[in-house]
């Protein structure tokens, strides 16, 4: 181990990941401040670099022959407050759900539908996490980063981040270029419930406080989504595909019960439904399986390698393609 109290570097180290894939990094570094990260930048030159959050959206198919970075920058700081809202600055290394819980305790609203999403604050801004009708892009005002090439601190406003469904510029053109150090969220001081997705309203039984919404969402997620501590997984393995309207109309003739959501560029169809209809829900391929309560989730039944999970995902994609003529793509980042 090298580094002082504020930075920890280890070699040939297991990389934390919720899929519970056994995989090592040549070097694994955790840092506690922007200054520490800036000091690390010269050491990254010419090496393969991967910045991880909670490891909850990654599938490693082999050991990582480079340096893996992880932020331990914590803390919530109030930057502005008025009667309507607060602007808070949160360290990228904070566990996302700890932030949601703390926000509710302090009477800040807007994030409650995103309760229990695994991962950390930094990744929330890269991935544009979303659930139950809310996406984190609706709360983000600015994202603070360090440029991993120059060491410079850069602050990007929401529009620059080019947020889209489970995507941002940090996942696209700028992939790997910046490390998020802090995220600035604007939260409301009055609670406005968003209950229209799924049957959240029905579960609430009339109690529409923010705390009740959080409790219901936690309960619904626990019922459907496997706990990674018990069975390795990375939440939704695939994104829900968007198909052109004409293709949707044609499919609907054959499958009138197909669920769908209208979106700007076509019609979104739940990949979980497509997978279930293709006969893969609950099915295993070696030590990897499609979860039996939510077909969008692939699980490690114990001892699976990344290649095992990838092989399963390819079989699932091929089945959906064959039955529906729709290509589905991973939401998780596959790291080879
Ligand atoms: N469905 C099936 N079979 C399944 C799974 C789903 O028929 O095995 C159908 C459901 O009946 C429902 C529809 O598909 O009609 C949608 O299902 P659900 O509400 O569970 O949502 P999802 O589209 O499967 C998305 C997100 C989840 C998020 C939920 C709730 C993506 C890729 N996934 O899943 O996010 O929690 O909506 O908002 O958009 C994650 O990103 O890791 C994640 C869990």
């Amino acid at each position: 181990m090298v580094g002082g109290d504020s930075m920890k570097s280890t070699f040939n180290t297991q990389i934390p990941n919720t899929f519970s894939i056994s995989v090592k990094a040549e070097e694994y570094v955790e840092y506690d401040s922007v200054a520490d990260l800036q000091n690390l930048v010269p050491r990254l030159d010419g090496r393969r670099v991967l910045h991880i959050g909670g490891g909850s959206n990654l599938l490693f198919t082999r050991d990582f022959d480079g340096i893996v970075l992880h932020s331990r920058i914590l803390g919530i700081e109030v930057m502005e407050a008025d009667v309507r809202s607060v602007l808070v600055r949160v360290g990228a290394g904070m566990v996302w759900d700890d932030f949601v819980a703390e926000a509710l305790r302090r009477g800040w609203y807007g994030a409650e539908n995103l309760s229990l999403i695994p991962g950390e604050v930094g990744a929330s801004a890269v991935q544009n996490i979303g659930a139950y009708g809310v996406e984190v892009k609706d709360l983000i005002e600015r994202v603070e980063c360090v440029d991993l090439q120059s060491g410079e601190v850069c602050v990007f406003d929401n529009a620059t981040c080019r947020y889209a469904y489970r995507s941002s510029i940090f996942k696209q053109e700028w992939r790997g270029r910046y490390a998020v150090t802090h995220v600035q969220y604007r939260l409301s001081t009055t609670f406005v419930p968003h209950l229209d997705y799924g049957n959240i309203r029905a579960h609430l039984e009339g109690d529409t406080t923010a705390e009740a919404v959080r409790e219901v969402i936690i309960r619904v997620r626990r019922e459907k989504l496997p706990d990674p501590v018990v069975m390795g997984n990375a939440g939704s393995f695939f994104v829900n595909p968007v198909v052109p309207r004409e293709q949707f109309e044609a499919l609907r003739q054959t499958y009138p019960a197909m669920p769908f959501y209208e979106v700007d560029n076509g019609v979104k169809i739940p990949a979980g439904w497509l997978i279930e209809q293709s006969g893969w829900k609950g099915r295993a391929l070696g030590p990897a399986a499609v979860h039996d309560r939510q077909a969008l989730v692939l699980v490690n039944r114990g001892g699976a390698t990344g290649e095992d999970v990838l092989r399963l995902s390819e079989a699932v994609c091929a089945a959906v393609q064959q039955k529906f003529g729709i290509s589905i793509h991973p939401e998780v980042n596959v790291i080879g």
Side-chain angles (χ1 to χ4, degrees), residues 3 6 38 75 81 96 138 142 161 181 191 204 327:
S6 65
Q38 289 176 306
W96 167 258
D138 304 331
R142 285 181 216 97
C161 300
T181 58
F191 174 56
L204 280 166
S327 302

Side-chain angles (χ1 to χ4, degrees), residues 1-9 28-40 51 69-75 89-94 120 146 180-182:
M1 183 173 122
V2 292
D5 278 354
S6 65
M7 197 157 66
K8 192 172 137 217
S9 171
Y28 181 73
V29 182
E30 294 197 308
Y31 59 87
D32 295 86
S33 67
V34 172
D36 279 348
L37 176 58
Q38 289 176 306
N39 287 335
L40 267 167
H51 199 298
L69 304 176
H70 180 231
S71 170
R72 286 190 310 204
I73 301 177
L74 303 173
R89 178 177 188 254
V90 189
M94 184 166 193
E120 295 172 359
V146 164
V180 176
T181 58
H182 297 85

Side-chain angles (χ1 to χ4, degrees), residues 49 51 148-149 170-179:
V49 179
H51 199 298
L148 294 178
Q149 283 166 14
F170 305 110
K171 274 191 87 175
Q172 307 288 339
E173 290 94 314
W174 292 354
R175 182 182 277 266
R177 166 110 194 244
Y178 296 96

Side-chain angles (χ1 to χ4, degrees), residues 75-152:
I76 302 176
E77 192 187 317
V78 179
M79 299 177 76
E80 284 171 28
D82 59 37
V83 284
R84 288 195 188 155
S85 69
V86 286
L87 180 67
V88 292
R89 178 177 188 254
V90 189
M94 184 166 193
V95 170
W96 167 258
D97 193 55
D98 290 351
F99 168 58
V100 177
E102 182 59 21
L104 278 192
R105 261 194 296 278
R106 298 207 203 176
W108 304 334
Y109 306 107
E112 51 287 335
N113 286 33
L114 307 179
S115 289
L116 211 66
I117 293 185
E120 295 172 359
V121 161
S124 78
V126 173
Q127 182 66 16
N128 185 22
I129 56 172
Y132 305 104
V134 174
E135 288 182 298
V136 81
K137 74 169 173 57
D138 304 331
L139 310 173
I140 291 176
E141 200 143 303
R142 285 181 216 97
V143 180
E144 299 178 32
C145 300
V146 164
D147 181 335
L148 294 178
Q149 283 166 14
S150 66
E152 194 190 351

Side-chain angles (χ1 to χ4, degrees), residues 194-221:
H194 296 276
L195 308 177
D196 293 330
Y197 186 98
N199 51 357
I200 297 301
R201 196 185 295 278
H203 284 286
L204 280 166
E205 291 164 359
D207 180 0
T208 52
T209 58
E211 290 72 18
V213 170
R214 173 169 165 80
E215 272 170 37
V216 161
I217 284 173
I218 288 177
R219 187 155 30 97
V220 171
R221 288 187 71 94

Side-chain angles (χ1 to χ4, degrees), residues 146-287:
V146 164
D147 181 335
L148 294 178
Q149 283 166 14
S150 66
E152 194 190 351
V153 169
C154 305
V155 183
F156 302 112
D157 63 11
N158 181 301
T160 306
C161 300
R162 296 229 212 108
Y163 284 118
Y165 169 53
R166 293 296 193 278
S167 184
S168 71
I169 198 160
F170 305 110
K171 274 191 87 175
Q172 307 288 339
E173 290 94 314
W174 292 354
R175 182 182 277 266
R177 166 110 194 244
Y178 296 96
V180 176
T181 58
H182 297 85
V183 184
Q184 298 178 21
Y185 303 99
R186 184 162 299 272
L187 297 171
S188 176
T189 49
T190 44
F191 174 56
V192 182
H194 296 276
L195 308 177
D196 293 330
Y197 186 98
N199 51 357
I200 297 301
R201 196 185 295 278
H203 284 286
L204 280 166
E205 291 164 359
D207 180 0
T208 52
T209 58
E211 290 72 18
V213 170
R214 173 169 165 80
E215 272 170 37
V216 161
I217 284 173
I218 288 177
R219 187 155 30 97
V220 171
R221 288 187 71 94
R222 288 207 171 119
E223 274 163 18
K224 280 194 187 174
L225 299 168
D227 179 352
V229 175
V230 179
M231 195 158 42
N233 75 89
S236 301
F237 191 90
F238 303 99
V239 282
N240 290 328
V242 174
V243 302
R245 177 156 300 282
E246 308 74 62
Q247 188 181 2
F248 165 73
E249 295 297 352
L251 280 168
R252 211 177 171 193
Q253 301 291 318
T254 321
Y255 306 102
M258 181 168 69
F260 64 94
Y261 315 94
E262 305 276 352
V263 289
D264 290 345
N265 51 341
V267 182
K268 191 184 275 186
I269 301 176
W273 184 88
L274 296 169
I275 296 167
E276 181 169 348
Q277 299 302 312
S278 303
W280 275 89
K281 192 170 186 169
R283 251 178 89 179
L285 202 60

